[in-house]
Amino acid sequence: MRKNKLSHLLEPSLRLYFLCLLVFAGVTALFSLPAALAELAVVLVLYLYFRRSNAHRQKEIIQYIESVTCNMDTATKDTMVNAPLPMVIFRPENDEVIWSNDRFLQITGEREHLFDTKLTAAVPDFSSRWLMEGKTECPTEVLLGERRFQVFGHLVRTEDSGARGYLATTYWVDVTDLADVRDLYYAARPVAAILMLDNYEELMKGIPDNARSALRSEIDQRLDQWAAPAQGLFCRYDRDRYLFLFEEHFLAQFQEGKFSVLDAVHEVVSPNGLPATVSIGIGRDADTLEELFQYASLSVEMALSRGGDQAVIKNKFNFEFYGGRTKELEKRTKVKSRVMANALGELVADASRVFVMGHKFPDLDCIGAAAGVCAIARKKGAPVNIVKEAGQNPASEMMEKLSQLPEYQGVFLSVQDAILAADVNALLVVVDTNRPEQVVSQDLLEACNKVAVIDHHRRAATYIANAALNFHEPYASSASELVTELLQYLLEGADLRKAEAEALLAGITLDTKQFTMRTGSRTFEAAAFLRRSGADTGDVKKLFQNDLEGTIARYDIIQNARMYRNDIAVARVDHPVGRITAAQAADELLNISGIDTSFVLFPDGEGRVILSARSMGDVNVQVILEKLGGGGNAATAGAQVPGKSVDEVTKDLLRAIDQYLEEE
């Protein structure tokens, strides 16, 4: 059938010409019959000659094509057998080998063909899943003995005894030499590290020069001992900063040792009894040395913004954190607060409009800080609006109290109205968060050209970058405390309304757990300023009162608490509860003897599991909840986990706790 089709295709299409000749002969017969017969005889002879020559030509062409096909089959078989690359054909469903050439036998060390055997028996590390996924190249190199191979292949569908299956043909390319050179290149890439003494000013304050020299010498000795094995360049380039350049393959040793230099520096204590702490910022995987140093600078800035005493590694894509489990030390100088106050005052005065925005589901600290910024804007004569979130929140009562003031008529604005009102000269002040995904509106954040951030939470891997002003102090008890410090340089006591002072004091009271947690001397100084400005502690106390239903729900959560690892309480409920109630339950658990850390988990009814965590200070709950996508500070943290059940999140939480305690 195929030959007939081929013959038809090879036959010249001359029928039309013979038909024309017959027509001419018929026309000739009308005038001369002998002439017509002569024409017919000539046409017949030509046709017979055409048929004979055409048949002979077709036969020759078919023989040639059959000869070529046979040669191709022979060449194909010879190519497969004597191919320069190792080849193996197998069934990917069960790894059964169908055929392999001699070169594949050589690399596997087999002497006989691998018929009816498993490919994984000869190559244990090989997996054919990538072929079933439609890929033509193995995503990883395959290790075979001391050699490494890049495997290419493809699938062919087959039918055997009526059943469909697949045959996989793979080609194995030895890339050992290339891989060795590549690994050597990556291992020898430069890594830049900046080491900074966090508390240099505090260490050197009030001690004689000879004691300072001895202290610096002891710190330098600890740092030199840690850096020496890397055989890199280590030098001091500022009074409290060091530059360390080394090759990347030494970085894994530092990571495995959990950056032991952090603990080594802790052992250096000043005559005042203050231990030294160091922050390490490391940059890697950069294209240029300039970019590498920028990565290291960003890393050390990240370490400081998270409280210091830790190591941070930055590559092209993300940050990695090590350490950071000690409590933040309160700064004893207000120079930064004064500088930030002047800078914020200038930004507000130059702005056409000021927008104040906090985190989603704002609490009293968020609204208190926002009210303080409104007071600054009012003093500078700039129009101001607080961007509010739809629905109820923990600070709804305080927002209602502020909205009754004449100065706050029309101040609270929806997200949509704020975006429409924003112009090129508008200033957005973000309070009580530094993460873009947690603000009330990311669209408004992107719409404003000038952004200022005031926050006390430890910085996470994602943060608001390129801010015109970033007043970020993780040592502070609350955002309200930071704003209150700014107010002391920008306002007189009479410029602050009584309700605003109470909102700020309520924010400090909330985050310090009634002035019992994360308090320093500056916390009480801020509270004293607010008290002088008219804040009534009795009215603030009323903001923390609960109704009977909420109290019952809180103690219902406490009843579900179970002890874990001796002093950690984990309370989980399988039904939605109020976030305020859950947070209060986590606080209440710390009042029970023997509990130093508490976690509360509950579903919110929208496919997410909410976590609230509290600590007396020995356990850093922020580090634990960061593993679940959350954040906060050492004593107070939270997280939202979408797409998982309470049981799954509970297991993840316990694993995170175990990992944290094992690293201690």
Side-chain angles (χ1 to χ4, degrees):
M1 182 177 180
R2 183 177 298 175
K3 184 178 293 186
N4 293 335
K5 183 176 181 181
L6 180 61
S7 300
H8 178 72
L9 292 174
L10 295 175
E11 181 179 345
S13 181
L14 299 177
R15 295 177 181 178
L16 179 60
Y17 303 111
F18 284 111
L19 181 60
C20 292
L21 292 174
L22 292 175
V23 172
F24 288 137
V27 174
T28 303
L30 298 177
F31 302 97
S32 174
L33 184 58
L37 293 174
E39 289 181 5
L40 287 174
V42 172
V43 172
L44 180 60
V45 171
L46 291 174
Y47 180 74
L48 292 175
Y49 174 77
F50 162 73
R51 294 290 296 176
R52 182 180 177 184
S53 61
N54 191 52
H56 180 68
R57 185 163 56 88
Q58 289 178 358
K59 183 177 180 180
E60 290 180 347
I61 292 175
I62 291 173
Q63 289 177 351
Y64 173 76
I65 292 176
E66 289 178 349
S67 174
V68 171
T69 304
C70 181
N71 292 336
M72 288 178 64
D73 292 339
T74 303
T76 301
K77 294 176 182 179
D78 183 71
T79 300
M80 293 181 64
V81 174
N82 301 310
L85 295 177
M87 294 178 58
V88 61
I89 300 175
F90 64 96
R91 299 186 188 277
E93 299 92 343
N94 53 16
D95 287 340
E96 179 185 351
V97 177
I98 304 300
W99 175 87
S100 61
N101 63 359
D102 291 337
R103 291 188 179 273
F104 185 80
L105 296 177
Q106 292 174 6
I107 67 173
T108 57
E110 300 289 340
R111 296 185 178 181
E112 298 180 358
H113 290 284
L114 303 174
F115 298 133
D116 298 328
T117 60
K118 301 290 186 181
L119 180 59
T120 51
V123 190
D125 296 334
F126 181 73
S127 173
S128 60
R129 178 177 298 178
W130 55 278
L131 284 166
M132 303 301 292
E133 293 174 351
K135 299 177 181 177
T136 59
E137 180 179 354
C138 184
T140 58
E141 295 172 356
V142 179
L143 183 63
L144 189 55
E146 297 181 355
R147 311 296 293 178
R148 287 187 278 183
F149 292 86
Q150 186 66 52
V151 184
F152 301 88
H154 63 274
L155 287 180
V156 176
R157 186 185 295 271
T158 63
E159 292 189 8
D160 188 8
S161 301
R164 290 187 175 181
Y166 293 94
L167 284 181
T169 302
T170 54
Y171 310 87
W172 298 61
V173 181
D174 191 337
V175 295
T176 305
D177 296 337
L178 174 63
D180 290 343
V181 173
R182 181 196 61 207
D183 293 346
L184 181 62
Y185 163 74
Y186 282 118
R189 287 190 305 176
V191 174
I194 297 176
L195 288 77
M196 178 178 178
L197 293 175
D198 301 333
N199 54 348
Y200 180 85
E201 293 289 347
E202 289 78 10
L203 286 172
M204 303 301 172
K205 186 176 182 180
I207 62 175
D209 290 341
N210 59 345
R212 293 182 182 181
S213 299
L215 191 62
R216 281 196 295 262
S217 177
E218 189 173 358
I219 293 174
D220 290 347
Q221 182 181 3
R222 303 291 175 109
L223 296 177
D224 286 336
Q225 290 177 351
W226 174 75
Q231 303 174 1
L233 171 64
F234 182 77
C235 63
R236 183 204 300 264
Y237 72 95
D238 202 349
R239 62 174 187 172
D240 58 352
R241 290 176 180 258
Y242 302 79
L243 178 64
F244 183 26
L245 297 176
F246 58 96
E247 293 182 349
E248 187 163 329
H249 61 96
F250 290 105
L251 181 59
Q253 300 178 16
F254 295 139
Q255 291 173 304
E256 291 173 2
K258 300 290 190 297
F259 291 93
S260 58
V261 69
L262 298 174
D263 296 328
V265 173
H266 285 171
E267 298 173 0
V268 180
V269 182
S270 71
N272 297 329
L274 185 66
T277 61
V278 64
S279 292
I280 305 174
I282 298 177
R284 59 182 293 264
D285 192 24
D287 296 328
T288 63
L289 291 175
E290 181 182 8
E291 188 178 12
L292 198 67
F293 187 78
Q294 290 176 355
Y295 285 179
S297 300
L298 288 173
S299 297
V300 76
E301 181 183 343
M302 174 69 77
L304 293 173
S305 67
R306 291 167 59 86
D309 191 26
Q310 58 190 282
V312 179
I313 302 174
K314 175 171 172 50
N315 56 25
K316 288 183 178 181
F317 305 104
N318 52 32
F319 291 92
E320 298 177 51
F321 304 102
Y322 297 86
R325 290 170 170 77
T326 58
K327 294 181 180 179
E328 300 89 347
L329 296 176
E330 181 183 16
K331 306 297 181 183
R332 291 182 170 86
T333 173
K334 291 187 176 182
V335 174
K336 185 175 182 179
S337 297
R338 185 178 68 251
V339 172
M340 288 294 175
N342 294 333
L344 180 62
E346 293 178 2
L347 286 174
V348 172
D350 295 339
S352 61
R353 179 176 293 273
V354 178
F355 296 101
V356 189
M357 180 170 62
H359 53 76
K360 297 175 182 176
F361 205 67
D363 55 12
L364 288 171
D365 184 32
C366 181
I367 295 302
V373 175
C374 287
I376 296 174
R378 186 172 63 248
K379 178 69 174 180
K380 296 296 182 179
V384 63
N385 292 104
I386 298 176
V387 182
K388 66 177 182 179
E389 187 179 32
Q392 293 294 312
N393 56 66
S396 295
E397 184 177 351
M398 176 54 69
M399 294 172 66
E400 181 64 27
K401 186 175 182 179
L402 289 172
S403 62
Q404 295 176 1
L405 298 177
E407 295 85 355
Y408 281 80
Q409 298 300 315
V411 167
F412 291 96
L413 206 62
S414 67
V415 172
Q416 293 78 10
D417 293 338
I419 294 176
L420 292 175
D423 56 29
V424 293
N425 295 319
L427 171 66
L428 174 63
V429 182
V430 178
V431 295
D432 203 29
T433 185
N434 59 72
R435 302 178 65 174
E437 68 272 15
Q438 290 185 350
V439 298
V440 173
S441 172
Q442 291 193 50
D443 293 334
L444 180 60
L445 179 63
E446 296 172 357
C448 293
N449 295 327
K450 291 187 293 185
V451 178
V453 178
I454 304 174
D455 187 36
H456 69 110
H457 296 100
R458 285 190 173 193
R459 183 174 290 179
T462 58
Y463 61 95
I464 299 174
N466 302 321
L469 181 143
N470 195 334
F471 190 25
H472 182 247
E473 296 294 346
Y475 72 87
S477 68
S478 57
S480 295
E481 177 186 327
L482 294 176
V483 173
T484 301
E485 289 190 352
L486 299 179
L487 292 174
Q488 295 179 57
Y489 295 102
L490 295 172
L491 303 182
E492 300 294 335
D495 294 329
L496 192 65
R497 301 295 178 265
K498 177 177 180 295
E500 293 173 332
E502 291 178 352
L504 288 162
L505 184 59
I508 298 175
T509 304
L510 174 69
D511 278 13
T512 58
K513 308 297 182 289
Q514 309 291 333
F515 291 89
T516 60
M517 303 287 295
R518 293 175 54 82
T519 55
S521 60
R522 293 172 65 173
T523 307
F524 291 99
E525 290 175 8
F529 171 80
L530 297 173
R531 184 69 183 88
R532 292 193 300 269
S533 299
D536 190 327
T537 55
D539 292 340
V540 172
K541 175 68 176 177
K542 293 179 182 179
L543 294 172
F544 294 91
Q545 288 182 326
N546 300 306
D547 55 17
L548 181 60
E549 182 180 355
T551 303
I552 295 173
R554 184 169 74 251
Y555 284 105
D556 179 61
I557 295 174
I558 296 175
Q559 285 181 342
N560 287 279
R562 298 293 181 269
M563 297 303 296
Y564 185 72
R565 292 285 191 118
N566 298 327
D567 55 358
I568 299 176
V570 178
R572 47 159 293 179
V573 291
D574 297 323
H575 56 84
V577 297
R579 296 193 187 186
I580 302 175
T581 302
Q584 291 174 343
D587 291 329
E588 191 74 24
L589 284 168
L590 296 184
N591 295 329
I592 300 175
S593 177
I595 297 179
D596 294 331
T597 309
S598 63
F599 295 90
V600 174
L601 305 84
F602 65 94
D604 67 349
E606 298 179 1
R608 294 174 297 186
V609 176
I610 309 299
L611 295 93
S612 291
R614 301 292 186 270
S615 173
M616 297 291 288
D618 293 333
V619 175
N620 190 326
V621 291
Q622 184 225 2
V623 174
I624 295 176
L625 290 194
E626 273 188 339
K627 301 180 185 301
L628 280 72
N633 53 52
T636 305
Q640 300 180 15
V641 183
K644 289 188 176 182
S645 65
V646 176
D647 290 336
E648 293 173 328
V649 176
T650 302
K651 294 178 181 178
D652 293 341
L653 173 62
L654 297 182
R655 279 195 294 268
I657 294 173
D658 292 339
Q659 183 178 354
Y660 172 85
L661 295 178
E662 289 171 1
E663 293 175 353
E664 279 290 298

